[in-house]
Amino acid sequence: MKIAIFTDSFYPQINGVVTSIVDLAKGMADIGYKIYIIAPEEKGPFEEFSYKDITVLRLPAIDAHFYEGFKWSAIMHKPTFDILKKANLDVVHFMTPLTVSIFGILVGKMLKKPIIGTYHTFISELTYLRQLWPHAGAVQQKISWHYSNAFYNRAHLITIPTENAKKELIANKCRVEIEVVSNGIKLDSFDNSNSAAIKNKFNPDGDLILYVGRVAPEKNMPVLLEAFYKLTKSDSTTKLLVIGGGPTLNECKTIVKNYGIEDRVIFLGLIPTKELKSSGYFGACKLFVTASTTETQSITVLEAEANGLPCIGPNAKGIPNVIDDGVNGFVVTPDSSDEITAAMKRLLEDEELYKRFSENSIKSASKHDFKLILNNWEERYKKVAKIKVSRLPRIKIPAAAGLKE
C-alpha cells in the first residue's frame, strides 16, 4: 500500500507533531508500506530525513513569520503532483491545516483518492491565535474553527489522539467520522544508562523536575515558572530542567531572573528527539510538569510516563486522558500555579505515593505502546483505502480557508 503524508511541520523542526509523523511513517514502512512525506522546502543547512521505503518531497516555500519555523508553501506543484500520480497512491493523509495540506486535499480530489486528516493542534485556542492577532477573542475563534473545518470536513476519516479532543471537534461542528488513535510511544526507545551522571551534573544534592516541549505562548510557561518559584520558598534543593526552545525563551529567562531563581531553573534548549531519548534526562528526573492547556494528547507526557515519571498537568483538552488524577499523577485547575506547587510538593515529599504513581505511569504508558498503535493505523488505512471515490463531498467552505469548491 502507498500512503502520501502531507504536513506543514517536519524536519528540521523538533516538536510532537514531527515525532508522531516520523514514528508513523517509519512504522508503516517497516511493515511493507511505501510512504511519501510532502513538506515545505528548507533552505538552510540541515540533514534531510532518510529511511527505507520513505520518500520526502519538498514544496517551494517562504517563511510564514506568524509562528516560528512555519512556512507558506505552494498549494500546487506539478513536479510533485506528477510523482504522486505515477505512484498510484492508495490513501492521502494530511496532518496540518495549512498550505501543504491544501495541496494534499487537491491531490486527493484530482486523483480520486480517499483522505484521512489527523488533528494534532488546537489552532483555535487564543494562545495560538494571539500570535497572529494580538487582541483575538471569540469572533476570531469562531473564524478559526470555520477555517479548520474547511480542511477536516473534506476528509473521509479524521483521527485524533484522545477522547476529550474528539469531543472538542464534534462540539465545534466537525462533521466527518472521527476515531481516536493515540500518537503512541516506543517503549523500548529510551536509554537511561547515563541518568546518574545527568543527576550528578545538574543537582547531586536534590531532585530534578522536568519540562520538555516548546517554550511558546500556548505552553503557558509563566504559570509553570510561577509554580516552581513558589515551591522554592519551602524547598531549598529541587531544580527544574526546561528542555526545548521557542519564541518566549528569553521572556521565560527574564521571569526566572526576576524571581531570583536563576540557579534553580536550567534551560537546556532544543535537544533532538533521538538524542533526548538516549540522554538519560528522563531517568535523572523525579517528575514531569506541564501547564499547557492546548494539548490534543502530549507526547512528552507519554514519554515521561514511559520512564516512570509521575506527571502533573491541567484539566484541559487531552491532558486528563493521559494523566489519571490520583493514579499516575495529578490533574490541576488550569492556570493554577498554587495547585501545581502543591502537587509537586506532595510528590517530592511522599515517597510511598511517588513510588505508586511511578509504577502506574509505566502501566499507563504501556497502553500507548506504538506496536499496538501501529496495528490500529494499519486497520484504518486498509478501511479507508476501500472507499471508492468519485468526488469529495461538497462542503460549504469559508473564504478564509483559502479553498474553493
Side-chain angles (χ1 to χ4, degrees):
M1 189 176 291
K2 298 173 183 176
I3 312 295
I5 295 174
F6 293 80
T7 176
D8 295 88
S9 184
F10 197 59
Y11 287 139
Q13 292 183 46
I14 300 173
N15 56 50
V17 175
V18 175
T19 298
S20 174
I21 291 168
V22 169
D23 284 350
L24 174 60
K26 290 168 69 173
M28 298 309 297
D30 287 342
I31 59 175
Y33 283 53
K34 173 64 178 175
I35 307 297
Y36 296 85
I37 297 176
I38 299 87
E41 69 177 357
E42 290 288 342
K43 295 179 181 178
F46 75 102
E47 184 178 351
E48 181 62 277
F49 174 79
S50 178
Y51 198 79
K52 180 184 177 183
D53 289 329
I54 298 177
T55 299
V56 177
L57 302 172
R58 296 281 183 170
L59 301 178
I62 59 173
D63 289 338
H65 297 296
F66 71 93
Y67 194 89
E68 186 182 46
F70 278 84
K71 298 178 180 294
W72 299 121
S73 68
I75 63 171
M76 177 50 68
H77 187 239
K78 190 175 186 302
T80 302
F81 178 83
D82 289 344
I83 292 171
L84 297 175
K85 182 179 180 179
K86 185 177 180 180
N88 191 24
L89 301 173
D90 294 285
V91 176
V92 166
H93 188 175
F94 71 85
M95 299 284 186
T96 45
L98 285 168
T99 47
V100 173
S101 292
I102 292 177
F103 180 46
I105 291 170
L106 291 173
V107 168
K109 185 170 184 177
M110 295 170 72
L111 298 181
K112 296 183 179 179
K113 302 298 180 181
I115 297 176
I116 296 176
T118 293
Y119 198 98
H120 283 288
T121 307
F122 283 113
I123 63 168
S124 298
E125 288 297 297
L126 291 177
T127 47
Y128 280 107
L129 293 178
R130 286 175 179 163
Q131 295 176 59
L132 183 61
W133 296 308
H135 303 292
V139 172
Q140 285 77 15
Q141 280 189 302
K142 186 175 181 179
I143 292 171
S144 180
W145 274 111
H146 277 290
Y147 170 87
S148 177
N149 288 339
F151 286 80
Y152 288 95
N153 280 337
R154 289 202 165 216
H156 294 89
L157 173 69
I158 297 171
T159 69
I160 197 160
T162 58
E163 193 64 39
N164 279 5
K166 175 182 176 179
K167 292 176 182 177
E168 189 86 6
L169 260 62
I170 293 172
N172 285 282
K173 300 181 180 180
C174 216
R175 299 192 294 274
V176 176
E177 179 185 1
I178 304 172
E179 294 186 5
V180 174
V181 183
S182 172
N183 286 308
I185 182 76
K186 292 184 176 180
L187 301 176
D188 59 355
S189 63
F190 298 92
D191 179 1
N192 282 308
S193 58
N194 196 43
S195 60
I198 293 291
K199 173 74 165 55
N200 288 333
K201 177 180 180 180
F202 291 106
N203 198 13
D205 300 318
D207 292 316
L208 292 170
I209 294 173
L210 180 65
Y211 168 80
V212 179
R214 279 184 59 77
V215 183
E218 69 273 11
K219 300 302 183 181
N220 218 13
M221 290 299 292
V223 173
L224 172 56
L225 295 174
E226 181 181 21
F228 184 74
Y229 167 65
K230 291 176 180 177
L231 177 70
T232 63
K233 291 180 174 298
S234 60
D235 180 319
S236 61
T237 59
T238 300
K239 294 185 179 182
L240 172 66
L241 296 185
V242 177
I243 297 177
T248 60
L249 180 59
N250 288 334
E251 175 188 330
C252 288
K253 289 181 177 180
T254 298
I255 290 172
V256 167
K257 182 178 180 180
N258 291 339
Y259 281 143
I261 54 172
E262 292 170 283
D263 60 331
R264 304 286 294 276
V265 180
I266 303 166
F267 292 95
L268 295 170
L270 282 170
I271 300 178
T273 302
K274 185 176 181 180
E275 180 183 336
L276 175 61
K277 288 182 175 182
S278 62
S279 64
Y281 281 108
F282 284 105
C285 295
K286 189 158 188 178
L287 54 95
F288 182 94
V289 184
T290 178
S292 173
T293 59
T294 63
E295 304 296 329
T296 54
Q297 183 174 49
S298 180
I299 289 178
T300 54
V301 167
L302 294 183
E303 290 173 340
E305 290 176 349
N307 286 276
L309 274 64
C311 296
I312 300 167
N315 186 17
K317 300 297 187 290
I319 289 293
N321 292 137
V322 290
I323 301 178
D324 192 352
D325 187 39
V327 176
N328 67 349
F330 289 116
V331 175
V332 301
T333 301
D335 301 322
S336 176
S337 60
D338 286 340
E339 289 188 26
I340 295 175
T341 302
M344 290 190 291
K345 186 177 176 64
R346 187 175 175 189
L347 282 168
L348 291 170
E349 294 178 352
D350 190 333
E351 275 299 322
E352 185 177 335
L353 180 70
Y354 173 83
K355 183 179 179 180
R356 185 168 73 251
F357 278 19
S358 178
E359 291 171 352
N360 289 338
S361 282
I362 294 173
K363 292 177 183 177
S364 176
S366 68
K367 300 174 185 176
H368 301 273
D369 184 348
F370 192 73
K371 295 175 183 176
L372 301 175
I373 305 308
L374 194 61
N375 290 336
N376 290 340
W377 270 117
E378 187 173 22
E379 290 174 7
R380 281 155 180 82
Y381 280 136
K382 288 180 177 179
K383 170 185 172 181
V384 171
K386 292 177 182 178
I387 297 174
K388 301 299 181 183
V389 181
S390 57
R391 64 182 305 282
L392 292 181
R394 292 186 66 85
I395 293 175
K396 186 178 181 181
I397 305 295
L403 296 175
K404 296 180 180 179
E405 287 290 345

